[in-house]
Structure formats: C-alpha cells, structure tokens
Amino acid sequence: MELQEKVPVPVFTEVDKEVFLRDIYPQRRPAVLRGVGLGPCLERWSVEYLGHNHREVKIHVSTVPQMDFLHKNFVYSCDDKKSFILFQDESYYLWSLGEDVRDEPADLSKQFPDLAADFHVPQFFAADQFFSSLFRISSCGLQLWTHYDVAIRQHP
C-alpha cells in the first residue's frame, strides 16, 4: 500500500454541545473528540464480552493489518459460530449496515441491541436529526483505506 500525505486532524477536548455546534460542526471536517462520554462500552467491550453478545456477521479478514480496497487484500467471511477461529496473524473488520442496505440506514440499536445499551451517542443534535449509527469495529492496529460514505436521507 502506498504511503500518502498525512493531513493533520484537529483534536478537541472537553467538548460539549455548545462547543461542538459552534467550533466543530460548521467546519464539516474530520476531528478527534477526546473525553466525550460514550458510555460503558469503553470499559466493557473486550473480546470475551463481545463474544457473549454473539450474532452472525460478515467481516473483512486480512493476513496483513493494512486492508487495501484497490488491491482487495482481504476476503469476506461469515461467522457461523462453528468455524470461527481467531488467528494471531489475521486482522478483522466489521462494518455494520442496515438489514436492507438500500432502504434501511444502519442503526446500532436495531442491528446490535445488546451492545447499543453500552454505547451512548453524544446528544449534540435533536433526536429527529439523528439518521444512522454505523457500527465499525476492528482488530487492534488495523488500517483501512481512506474513504467516506455518502448517505442520502429519504423523507417519508
């Protein structure tokens, strides 16, 4: 994988709703928010804990920690509870989508209700402005290709 130019990303601490809406959101740029309360997920979510909240998922599996979409150095795997084996030299990446990827936005509370109780979305927007909660989780040290997802919100 080719190295690309690093772009600095601003880091914010002690972010509340006012700071977010005034200083971060209007920029429409990536930012790191440190110290924002995300709930007990930060303490609870270990490999063992996530294993007990098990459901069948499709994951990206690679023998290197730098997954590359252009060269497709990964495969899609489906965990069937019987053949899932964690190898030390493999990296894993879960990208959760809605059940119907064309018509339903990803929603952690629907796809993973047991885990959703552990994760608290900061209340920076009104509830009716909330569109989706993409759940992504990976092996430690995993690097993904830089990309962004476009979601179009459809109004009834």
Side-chain angles (χ1 to χ4, degrees), residues 25-64:
Y25 178 67
Q27 300 299 314
R28 307 287 290 173
R29 298 288 217 191
V32 175
L33 310 182
R34 297 205 189 273
V36 174
L38 299 176
C41 61
L42 298 175
E43 293 82 31
R44 287 186 186 159
W45 288 6
S46 64
V47 171
E48 294 79 21
Y49 182 82
L50 294 172
H52 286 96
N53 284 283
H54 188 68
R55 65 171 276 200
E56 187 173 303
V57 294
K58 292 180 183 175
I59 59 174
H60 297 68
V61 180
S62 179
T63 56
V64 295

Side-chain angles (χ1 to χ4, degrees), residues 46-106:
S46 64
V47 171
E48 294 79 21
Y49 182 82
L50 294 172
H52 286 96
N53 284 283
H54 188 68
R55 65 171 276 200
E56 187 173 303
V57 294
K58 292 180 183 175
I59 59 174
H60 297 68
V61 180
S62 179
T63 56
V64 295
Q66 297 84 19
M67 289 190 184
D68 182 352
F69 186 73
L70 294 176
H71 298 100
K72 300 278 195 221
N73 66 345
F74 58 89
V75 295
Y76 295 103
S77 176
C78 185
D79 173 6
D80 64 6
K81 288 188 177 182
K82 297 175 187 160
S83 64
F84 186 74
I85 300 172
L86 184 67
F87 293 102
Q88 292 287 45
D89 62 344
E90 289 183 334
S91 293
Y92 303 94
Y93 171 62
L94 167 67
W95 174 32
S96 172
L97 300 170
E99 299 300 322
D100 181 346
V101 296
R102 294 190 182 270
D103 294 325
E104 181 184 24

Side-chain angles (χ1 to χ4, degrees), residues 10-21 24-25 31-43 118-125:
V11 177
F12 295 87
T13 57
E14 299 183 28
V15 176
D16 59 14
K17 182 177 181 176
E18 180 184 335
V19 169
F20 180 79
L21 293 175
I24 302 168
Y25 178 67
V32 175
L33 310 182
R34 297 205 189 273
V36 174
L38 299 176
C41 61
L42 298 175
E43 293 82 31
D118 296 340
F119 181 75
H120 303 164
V121 176
Q123 299 299 303
F124 294 158
F125 297 101

